[in-house]
C-alpha cells in the first residue's frame, strides 16, 4: 500500500472530507462506575481496586448515581434527548486491560441521543456538529509494554497491568458524520474537541486534563470525490490525545486517504494510531472478527429510568454554557475581538470577571492581568492562573494607585513581591516602604538639586515651554528611587518658577 | 433449517478462546440448536404487545452513593496473579507476531 501523501491543497481540490469523532470523557467522581474504589490518578498500582474492579468471580456491580447524573448533565449540555429508560450492556472482548473480559457499556439504549453542538472557529465562522449519542461505560486498566521499542506494543516481550483505572466512569460522545467542513476540517476537529473539553470542565464533571487522558479522541476520516454524496471508506485513528494532535491527525489522514484514492486503490477500513514523534499514523489491525462484541444486556444491573422532574432539576443546575458566557462577557467588557481572544487564550476570563466584580473597570482589569501579571507568569514559565495573585490583589493595587499612594512603576514592583508571597499590595507597600514620596520637604530638596543642575531647562520653562518640565522630573525620580509623586513634583517646579501648568 | 450450525459454533469458540475438536463442534452445535429452538418458542407465546424484557425484576435506578469504600491492598490484588512485577500483573506479549 502506498505510504505517500498528497498535499493538503490537492487533496481538498479533489475530495470532500467527512469526519466523525468518538470522544471519551473520564468523570471526576470520587469513586468508580460500578464499585466504591477511589477514582484517583497517579496512585500506587493496583491499590485503587476492589474485587469488582478486578472482575473476580461472583462479584456484583452497583451503579454510581453521581456518574448517571453527570451523564445526564452532559447530555443536556450537548442539547441531547435523555432516554426515559436505558440499560447497560456487556461488550465482550479479550484484552488484558479489561479484567472481566467484557466492558460494561451501553449499546442500543444510550442515556443521551440526538443532540448538537455549535462551534465557533477562530475567525468567527460558526459550524454545527450533530451528536449521535452519549453513553455511559467504564475505563480499562493501564498497560505498560516491556522489552519492545520505546514502550510500544510491537515486539514487546510482556506487558504489565495496573487496574487502578479499570472501572473509572467514562462517557463516550459520538458525533454523526460531519460533512461540508472542507479545508476547515482540521481546524473544526480541534475546535470540537476543545469545546467538549471546555463543556465538561465547566459542568464540573471531569478534570478535563488531556495530558492525563481525561479527554481522549478517536478521529474518523473518510474522503469522497468532490460533489459525491456516498461516503468513502473510513479510518479510525486512536491515541489522539492533545488538541494539536487532533488537528494534525485529521490533516494527515485527509492527505493519506487522498494519495491512496488518487492511486486508484481502495482505502482499507482499519484502526490506525497517531504518532506525535513522526506526525503520522500507522495501521493497527483491520476491522475483523475481533469486532464481533456480542453485546447483550448486563444481567447484574437494572435499568436506569429518568423522570421529567429529575431531568428538569438537573437542567436547572447547569452553569451558563462557555460559548454563551464568552459572548456576554465580551459585550459587557467592550474589548475588541483581538483583545478578547488574547484574554481567552491566556485563560484569565475568570480572573478578569472577578476583578471587575470586585470593583475595577474592565480596562484596568485587562491592563494588569494581560500586562505585568502575564509578564511575571511568562518569566516564571507558569500559567497566569497558577500565580498567587488574586482579583482582590489587583483591585487593592489599583486602589493604591488611584489614591496616589503608589504609581504604575511602583505597582509593578509591588506585584513582583505579591508573586513572591510577601502579602497583599497594601501590606507590601507598608513593609517595604514603597509608597510614593509626596512629602514636600524631601521633594523640594530634590527639585532644587535638579534645577541647579539644569539651568537651561529652567530657562525654557520660564519661557513658556511647560512640557520641558519632564526633563526635571526625571532626575527627581532618580533621586527618590522612583518613589516621587510625579504630579506633586510638577506642581512644586511650576510653583517655584511661577508658571501656570 | 437449524438455527445454529457448526461454523457459527466454531466462530464463537474462537471469539471465546475455547479450543474445540471437530467432534465437539458437531455435538455442541446440535445441543445449542436445541436450546435456541426451545427458547424461541417463548416468542410464540409473547404477542406483539409484550415488550422484550432483559430484567424480570420490577426494579430500576439501583444506585450507590459516590462514597469511597474499602479497597484491596496491592498484595491482596496480586495474590491470585500467575505472575507479577513492580506491583502490577504481568501478562504474556499481547501481539504474537501479528
Amino acid at each position: 500500500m502506498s505510504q505517500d501523501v498528497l498535499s493538503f491543497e490537492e487533496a481538498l481540490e479533489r475530495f470532500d472530507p467527512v469526519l466523525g469523532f468518538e470522544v471519551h470523557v473520564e468523570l471526576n467522581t470520587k469513586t468508580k462506575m460500578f464499585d466504591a474504589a477511589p477514582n484517583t490518578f497517579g496512585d500506587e498500582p493496583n491499590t485503587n481496586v476492589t474485587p469488582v474492579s478486578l472482575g473476580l468471580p461472583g462479584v456484583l456491580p452497583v451503579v454510581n448515581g453521581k456518574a448517571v447524573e453527570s451523564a445526564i448533565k452532559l447530555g443536556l449540555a450537548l442539547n441531547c434527548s435523555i432516554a426515559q429508560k436505558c440499560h447497560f450492556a456487556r461488550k465482550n472482548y479479550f484484552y488484558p486491560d479489561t479484567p472481566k473480559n467484557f466492558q460494561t457499556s451501553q449499546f442500543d439504549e444510550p442515556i443521551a441521543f440526538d443532540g448538537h453542538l455549535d462551534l465557533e472557529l477562530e475567525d468567527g465562522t460558526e459550524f454545527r456538529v450533530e451528536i449521535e449519542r452519549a453513553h455511559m461505560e467504564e475505563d480499562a486498566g493501564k498497560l505498560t509494554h516491556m522489552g519492545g521499542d520505546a514502550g510500544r506494543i510491537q515486539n514487546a516481550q510482556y506487558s504489565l497491568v495496573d487496574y487502578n483505572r479499570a472501572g473509572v466512569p467514562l462517557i463516550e460522545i459520538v458525533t454523526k458524520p460531519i460533512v461540508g467542513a472542507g479545508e476547515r476540517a482540521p481546524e473544526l476537529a480541534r475546535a470540537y474537541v476543545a469545546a467538549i473539553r471546555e463543556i465538561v470542565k465547566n459542568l464540573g464533571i471531569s478534570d478535563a486534563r488531556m495530558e492525563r487522558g481525561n479527554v481522549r479522541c478517536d478521529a474518523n476520516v473518510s474522503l469522497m470525490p468532490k460533489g459525491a454524496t456516498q461516503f468513502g471508506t473510513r479510518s479510525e485513528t486512536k491515541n489522539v490525545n492533545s488538541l494539536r494532535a487532533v488537528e494534525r491527525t485529521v490533516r494527515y489522514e485527509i492527505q493519506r486517504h487522498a494519495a491512496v484514492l488518487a492511486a486508484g486503490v481502495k482505502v482499507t477500513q482499519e484502526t490506525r494510531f497517531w504518532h506525535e514523534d513522526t506526525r503520522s499514523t500507522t495501521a493497527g489491525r483491520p476491522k475483523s472478527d475481533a469486532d464481533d462484541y456480542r453485546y447483550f444486556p448486563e444481567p447484574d444491573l437494572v435499568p436506569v429510568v429518568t423522570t421529567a422532574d429529575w431531568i428538569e432539576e438537573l437542567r436547572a443546575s447547569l452553569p451558563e454554557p462557555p460559548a454563551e458566557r464568552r459572548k456576554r462577557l465580551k459585550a459587557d467588557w467592550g474589548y475588541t475581538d483581538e483583545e478578547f481572544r488574547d484574554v481567552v487564550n491566556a485563560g484569565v476570563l475568570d480572573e478578569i470577571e472577578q476583578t471587575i466584580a470586585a470593583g475595577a473597570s474592565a480596562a484596568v482589569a485587562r491592563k494588569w492581568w494581560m500586562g505585568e501579571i502575564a509578564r511575571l507568569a511568562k518569566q516564571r514559565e507558569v500559567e497566569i492562573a497558577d500565580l498567587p495573585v488574586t482579583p482582590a490583589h489587583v483591585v487593592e493595587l489599583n486602589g493604591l494607585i488611584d489614591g496616589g499612594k503608589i504609581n504604575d512603576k511602583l505597582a509593578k514592583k509591588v506585584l513582583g513581591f505579591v508573586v513572591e508571597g510577601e502579602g497583599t499590595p497594601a501590606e507590601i507597600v507598608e513593609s517595604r516602604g514603597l509608597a510614593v514620596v509626596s512629602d514636600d520637604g524631601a521633594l523640594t530638596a530634590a527639585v532644587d538639586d535638579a534645577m541647579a543642575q539644569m539651568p537651561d531647562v529652567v530657562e525654557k520653562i520660564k519661557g513658556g515651554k511647560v512640557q520641558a518640565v519632564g526633563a526635571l522630573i526625571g532626575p527627581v525620580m532618580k533621586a527618590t528611587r522612583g518613589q516621587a509623586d510625579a504630579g506633586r513634583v510638577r506642581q512644586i517646579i511650576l510653583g517655584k518658577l511661577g508658571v501656570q501648568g | 433449517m437449524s438455527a445454529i450450525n457448526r461454523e457459527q459454533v466454531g466462530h464463537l469458540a474462537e471469539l471465546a478462546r475455547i479450543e474445540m475438536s471437530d467432534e465437539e463442534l458437531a455435538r455442541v452445535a446440535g445441543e445449542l440448536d436445541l436450546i435456541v429452538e426451545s427458547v424461541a418458542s417463548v416468542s410464540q407465546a409473547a404477542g406483539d404487545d409484550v415488550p422484550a424484557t432483559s430484567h424480570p425484576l420490577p426494579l430500576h435506578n439501583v444506585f450507590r452513593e459516590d462514597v469511597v469504600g474499602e479497597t484491596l491492598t496491592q498484595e491482596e490484588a496480586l495474590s491470585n496473579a500467575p505472575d507479577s512485577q513492580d506491583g502490577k500483573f504481568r501478562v504474556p506479549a499481547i501481539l504474537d507476531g501479528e
Side-chain angles (χ1 to χ4, degrees), chain A residues 164-224:
Chain A
N164 280 351
R165 199 179 61 187
V168 164
L170 283 184
I171 300 174
E172 178 176 338
I173 306 160
V174 184
T175 66
K176 289 185 179 152
I178 302 166
V179 295
E183 61 179 9
R184 310 299 293 272
E187 204 186 325
L188 175 73
R190 180 194 180 107
Y192 173 71
V193 179
I196 295 289
R197 186 181 65 163
E198 184 176 63
I199 285 170
V200 298
K201 197 172 173 188
N202 187 51
L203 289 171
I205 62 172
S206 171
D207 293 344
R209 295 176 65 165
M210 291 188 82
E211 76 279 11
R212 287 189 176 182
N214 295 151
V215 177
R216 310 197 288 265
C217 176
D218 298 344
N220 295 324
V221 174
S222 69
L223 297 185
M224 53 187 181

Side-chain angles (χ1 to χ4, degrees), chain A residues 90-380:
Chain A
R90 292 187 181 185
K91 179 181 181 179
N92 299 281
Y93 64 97
F94 290 94
Y95 209 70
D97 63 4
T98 304
K100 298 180 291 188
N101 294 336
F102 62 85
Q103 178 193 34
T104 307
S105 180
Q106 294 194 286
F107 181 48
D108 52 345
E109 294 177 346
I111 189 150
F113 54 94
D114 287 347
H116 65 262
L117 181 58
D118 289 324
L119 304 176
E120 197 178 313
L121 302 186
E122 230 175 63
D123 67 351
T125 307
E126 297 206 350
F127 207 101
R128 172 165 290 191
V129 171
E130 305 283 345
I131 306 291
E132 165 109 18
R133 58 187 280 163
H135 67 255
M136 300 180 281
E137 57 183 33
E138 59 180 331
D139 212 342
K142 187 172 168 43
L143 292 170
T144 311
H145 305 298
M146 308 295 283
D149 313 324
R152 286 197 189 167
I153 191 169
Q154 286 81 11
N155 305 320
Q157 262 129 41
Y158 61 96
S159 299
L160 299 177
V161 200
D162 170 12
Y163 288 118
N164 280 351
R165 199 179 61 187
V168 164
L170 283 184
I171 300 174
E172 178 176 338
I173 306 160
V174 184
T175 66
K176 289 185 179 152
I178 302 166
V179 295
E183 61 179 9
R184 310 299 293 272
E187 204 186 325
L188 175 73
R190 180 194 180 107
Y192 173 71
V193 179
I196 295 289
R197 186 181 65 163
E198 184 176 63
I199 285 170
V200 298
K201 197 172 173 188
N202 187 51
L203 289 171
I205 62 172
S206 171
D207 293 344
R209 295 176 65 165
M210 291 188 82
E211 76 279 11
R212 287 189 176 182
N214 295 151
V215 177
R216 310 197 288 265
C217 176
D218 298 344
N220 295 324
V221 174
S222 69
L223 297 185
M224 53 187 181
K226 274 260 177 228
T229 51
Q230 172 106 35
F231 295 166
T233 304
R234 70 173 194 273
S235 60
E236 178 180 352
T237 307
K238 293 185 179 290
N239 195 26
V240 192
N241 294 332
S242 74
L243 294 180
R244 195 183 297 146
V246 173
E247 187 169 353
R248 286 178 176 162
T249 295
V250 167
R251 174 178 275 268
Y252 179 85
E253 280 296 289
I254 287 173
Q255 292 178 255
R256 188 186 66 82
H257 280 232
V260 172
L261 293 170
V265 181
K266 278 190 175 167
V267 171
T268 310
Q269 183 169 343
E270 64 191 353
T271 301
R272 298 184 70 86
F273 294 95
W274 171 251
H275 304 289
E276 194 64 49
D277 47 358
T278 56
R279 291 194 192 168
S280 62
T281 62
T282 56
R285 56 180 168 72
K287 293 271 175 186
S288 68
D289 285 353
D291 291 318
D292 187 347
Y293 293 124
R294 293 150 292 142
Y295 281 97
F296 64 87
E298 166 58 78
D300 290 339
L301 294 170
V302 297
V304 173
V305 174
T306 61
T307 61
D309 283 352
W310 188 22
I311 291 170
E312 290 317 310
E313 190 188 315
L314 290 172
R315 195 195 302 277
S317 75
L318 297 183
E320 183 182 21
E324 281 177 33
R325 173 170 175 243
R326 277 198 297 275
K327 277 188 187 146
R328 175 175 61 81
L329 294 178
K330 180 166 181 287
D332 284 356
W333 297 347
Y335 294 172
T336 65
D337 290 354
E338 197 187 348
E339 286 170 348
F340 193 76
R341 191 164 60 230
D342 288 348
V343 166
V344 171
N345 290 339
V348 290
L349 270 186
D350 291 347
E351 284 77 5
I352 290 187
E353 188 182 26
Q354 288 161 20
T355 305
I356 294 169
S361 71
V364 163
R366 197 180 73 81
K367 170 182 152 185
W368 290 109
W369 286 105
M370 298 304 291
E372 183 63 12
I373 302 173
R375 196 189 66 78
L376 289 167
K378 199 174 170 195
Q379 196 179 54
R380 285 164 175 73

Side-chain angles (χ1 to χ4, degrees), chain A residues 31-32 45-46 63 161 301 305, chain B residues 55 61 64 66 74 87 89 91:
Chain A
T31 64
K32 293 186 179 181
N46 295 305
V63 173
V161 200
L301 294 170
V305 174
Chain B
H55 296 80
N61 293 0
R64 180 173 54 77
D66 187 26
Q74 192 182 71
F89 293 81
V91 300

